[in-house]
C-alpha cells in the first residue's frame, strides 16, 4: 500500500525547524501518536535483551542510558551516558555524574565530560569510549558502569535488576508526524524499575559507597528534544518492598500540548502494573523570582494501571517537594551539542528543579523540567 506524500510546504517547514532549531508550525494533537494508544491493547511488555539495544540514529536525536542511585547511607546519585546526533552531521558522547550528599552537608557534585572513541559491541548492547564503559552482562540482568574520565568522580558500579524491566505498550514509543506510517520523530522509554546497586564513586574528598537501590532508564528522543517536549515530570520511588517510576512529558503547542505519561510499579521478581493512564500534578507552586517559572513545592504522582492478571491498581505518592536538591539552568550546564540543538528557539529558558523526600515507607525523588512557555 502506498500513501500520498506530505505537502511540500509542510515537509520544508518541518525540515527547516528540525535543522535550525526554530519553533515548529502548529500541527495539532493528531500529529502525535501517543504510546497510550498501544497501552489500550497492551498495557506493557517485559523487556527482552534486544529491547536494550542502542539505536544510535544517524539523524537528529538524543539517546541516553541513566542510572539513578539511592544509597543505603543516604547519598543520592546519577550516572549517565548521552549519545547525540546533530542533523546527521556530528555525533557526540558525554558521561555525566551527579551526587547529592545526605542533608546537603556538602555542595552537590556534578561532572560532565565529553567522550572520545565512542562505540558499541557487535550486538549494540554495550557502550564503550576511552576511559568509560557501560556493559550489559551476558544474561542481561546487570550493567557494569565504569568511568575514569574525570578525577573528581571515578565511577565503578554494578546495577542489577531485581524485577523484570518493562516498556509501556508494545514498544514504549510515541511517534510524531502528520503521516502515522512515516513519522518524523519519536520518544521512547524503557525501565528497570527496581535494581540493586553495588560499588562506589571516588571523589577528590574520598570514596562514596553506593550500595543500595536504583533505577535504570534507557531513553531515545528521535528528534530535537525541545520539539518533542516542553515540560517534564519524573518521579522515582524506592522502598524495601516496592519501587515505582513515572515519566511524563507535555509536547509543545505544535503537537497540541499533548500529555504522555508512562510508568509502573514493581516488587522483587515482578512488575505489578504499568501503563499510560498515570498522572502528575503540582499541587502547590510558587513563582521563582530568578526564573519566573512556577516552581512546584508540592506534588502528587498517581499510578493507575492494570496488573498482569487484569486487576486495577492505583497508588499515589504525594507531599512536599523538599528539600529542593537543585535548580539547574540547562543552558548553562548542558554540553555544547545540546545548546546547539536548543539554541535556535528564541526566548527559551529551560530549568530543572530536583527534590527528594524521605517518607515512612521509602524515599522518592522528583524532577521537574520546564523548557518553554
Amino acid at each position: 500500500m502506498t500513501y500520498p506524500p506530505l505537502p511540500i510546504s509542510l515537509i520544508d517547514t518541518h525540515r527547516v525547524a528540525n535543522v535550525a532549531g526554530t519553533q515548529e508550525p502548529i500541527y495539532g494533537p493528531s500529529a502525535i501518536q501517543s504510546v497510550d494508544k498501544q497501552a489500550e491493547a497492551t498495557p506493557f511488555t517485559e523487556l527482552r535483551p534486544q529491547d536494550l539495544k542502542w539505536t544510535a540514529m544517524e539523524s537528529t536525536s538524543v539517546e541516553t542510558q541513566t542510572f539513578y542511585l539511592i544509597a543505603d547511607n543516604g547519598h543520592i546519585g546519577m550516572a549517565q551516558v548521552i549519545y547525540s546526533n546533530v542533523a546527521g552531521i556530528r555525533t557526540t558522547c558525554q558521561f555525566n555524574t551527579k551526587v547529592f550528599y545526605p542533608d546537603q552537608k556538602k555542595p552537590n557534585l556534578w561532572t560532565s565530560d565529553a567522550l572520545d572513541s565512542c562505540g558499541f559491541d557487535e550486538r549494540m548492547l554495550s557502550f564503550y569510549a576511552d576511559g568509560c564503559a557501560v556493559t550489559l552482562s551476558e544474561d542481561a540482568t546487570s550493567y557494569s558502569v565504569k568511568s575514569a574520565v574525570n578525577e573528581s568522580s571515578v565511577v565503578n558500579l554494578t546495577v542489577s535488576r531485581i524485577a523484570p524491566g518493562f516498556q509501556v505498550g508494545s514498544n514504549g514509543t510515541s511517534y510524531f508526524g502528520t503521516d502515522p506510517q512515516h513519522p518524523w520523530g519519536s520518544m521512547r522509554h524503557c525501565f528497570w524499575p527496581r535494581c540493586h546497586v553495588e560499588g562506589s564513586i571516588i571523589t577528590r574528598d574520598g570514596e562514596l559507597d553506593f550500595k543500595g537501590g536504583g533505577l535504570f532508564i534507557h531513553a531515545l528522543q528521535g528528534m530535537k528534544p525541545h520539539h518533542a517536549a516542553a515540560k517534564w515530570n519524573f518521579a522515582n520511588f524506592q522502598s524495601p518492598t516496592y519501587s515505582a517510576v513515572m515519566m511524563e512529558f507535555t509536547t509543545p503547542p505544535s503537537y497540541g500540548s499533548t500529555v504522555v505519561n508512562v510508568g509502573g510499579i514493581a516488587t522483587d521478581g515482578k512488575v505489578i502494573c504499568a501503563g499510560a493512564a498515570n498522572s502528575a500534578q503540582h499541587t502547590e507552586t510558587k513563582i521563582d523570582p530568578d526564573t519566573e517559572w512556577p516552581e512546584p513545592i508540592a506534588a502528587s504522582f498517581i499510578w493507575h494501571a492494570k496488573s498482569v492478571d487484569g486487576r486495577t491498581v492505583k497508588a499515589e505518592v504525594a507531599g512536599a517537594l523538599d528539600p529542593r536538591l537543585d535548580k539547574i539552568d540547562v543552558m548553562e550546564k548542558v554540553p555544547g551539542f545540546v545548546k546547539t540543538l536548543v539554541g535556535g528557539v528564541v526566548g527559551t529558558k529551560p530549568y530543572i528543579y530536583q527534590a527528594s523526600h524521605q517518607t515512612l515507607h521509602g524515599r522518592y525523588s522528583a524532577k521537574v523540567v520546564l523548557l518553554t512557555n
Side-chain angles (χ1 to χ4, degrees):
M1 178 180 295
T2 59
Y3 297 86
L6 294 173
I8 291 296
S9 59
L10 188 56
I11 294 177
D12 290 347
T13 304
H14 171 71
R15 286 179 177 171
V16 169
N18 197 41
V19 173
T22 55
Q23 292 181 345
E24 293 193 290
I26 301 298
Y27 305 117
S30 62
I32 177 173
Q33 294 78 53
S34 171
V35 70
D36 63 12
K37 302 302 181 185
Q38 298 179 28
E40 291 175 1
T42 306
F44 72 94
T45 50
E46 292 190 4
L47 296 180
R48 305 160 298 171
Q50 56 263 42
D51 296 318
L52 298 169
K53 286 185 176 182
W54 286 85
T55 303
M57 292 178 62
E58 297 182 358
S59 57
T60 298
S61 58
V62 178
E63 188 168 9
T64 59
Q65 285 194 340
T66 308
F67 301 85
Y68 296 93
L69 319 168
I70 298 181
D72 293 339
N73 58 22
H75 289 90
I76 300 173
M78 180 199 76
Q80 179 185 61
V81 172
I82 304 178
Y83 183 95
S84 177
N85 188 302
V86 180
I89 299 172
R90 181 185 176 208
T91 297
T92 58
C93 300
Q94 201 87 4
F95 188 82
N96 297 330
T97 306
K98 192 157 195 174
V99 174
F100 300 103
Y101 291 88
D103 301 320
Q104 296 185 286
K105 293 178 180 178
K106 291 183 179 181
N108 302 332
L109 172 66
W110 163 257
T111 60
S112 183
D113 298 278
L115 299 175
D116 297 319
S117 303
C118 304
F120 306 92
D121 67 347
E122 292 183 359
R123 297 184 298 165
M124 297 294 289
L125 292 173
S126 298
F127 172 89
Y128 301 100
D130 290 347
C132 180
V134 178
T135 309
L136 183 65
S137 63
E138 285 296 322
D139 61 1
T141 62
S142 67
Y143 277 97
S144 168
V145 184
K146 296 184 178 183
S147 173
V149 296
N150 192 311
E151 293 182 356
S152 296
S153 58
V154 178
V155 178
N156 186 4
L157 300 166
T158 299
V159 179
S160 305
R161 62 173 177 85
I162 53 177
F166 74 88
Q167 58 192 356
V168 169
S170 57
N171 64 9
T173 306
S174 296
Y175 296 96
F176 294 76
T178 52
D179 181 352
Q181 303 300 321
H182 300 91
W184 60 51
S186 64
M187 181 81 75
R188 177 177 185 258
H189 291 91
C190 60
F191 306 93
W192 281 6
R194 186 168 176 83
C195 299
H196 176 71
V197 179
E198 293 279 355
S200 67
I201 297 176
I202 300 175
T203 74
R204 294 186 184 275
D205 293 330
E207 184 173 10
L208 304 178
D209 183 6
F210 267 94
K211 180 180 180 181
L215 162 70
F216 164 70
I217 302 178
H218 188 145
L220 171 64
Q221 299 182 55
M223 58 196 299
K224 286 204 169 188
H226 60 285
H227 285 174
K231 299 176 182 178
W232 290 88
N233 286 299
F234 165 64
N236 171 26
F237 175 83
Q238 300 290 332
S239 78
T241 309
Y242 297 104
S243 298
V245 59
M246 183 184 298
M247 185 73 73
E248 178 187 277
F249 69 91
T250 303
T251 71
S254 305
Y255 299 97
S257 298
T258 300
V259 177
V260 180
N261 187 310
V262 295
I265 302 171
T267 189
D268 289 357
K270 180 181 180 181
V271 176
I272 296 173
C273 67
N278 319 297
S279 66
Q281 292 185 333
H282 302 168
T283 54
E284 188 176 355
T285 63
K286 65 178 180 180
I287 297 299
D288 182 344
D290 297 329
T291 67
E292 299 181 353
W293 282 114
E295 177 187 354
I297 56 177
S300 170
F301 301 93
I302 299 176
W303 286 261
H304 195 281
K306 293 286 188 180
S307 65
V308 175
D309 57 7
R311 293 180 296 113
T312 298
V313 177
K314 184 177 180 180
E316 181 178 13
V317 173
L321 295 179
D322 64 350
R324 185 179 76 189
L325 295 179
D326 208 354
K327 180 179 70 177
I328 303 167
D329 181 344
V330 175
M331 297 302 285
E332 178 182 319
K333 296 291 186 181
V334 298
F337 66 84
V338 177
K339 294 180 183 178
T340 301
L341 289 175
V342 179
V345 178
V346 177
T348 296
K349 49 176 185 178
Y351 275 83
I352 299 173
Y353 295 93
Q354 292 178 277
S356 181
H357 191 69
Q358 181 69 48
T359 72
L360 293 176
H361 305 288
R363 175 174 288 278
Y364 73 88
S365 298
K367 180 187 294 184
V368 177
V369 185
L370 303 172
L371 294 175
T372 57
N373 289 318

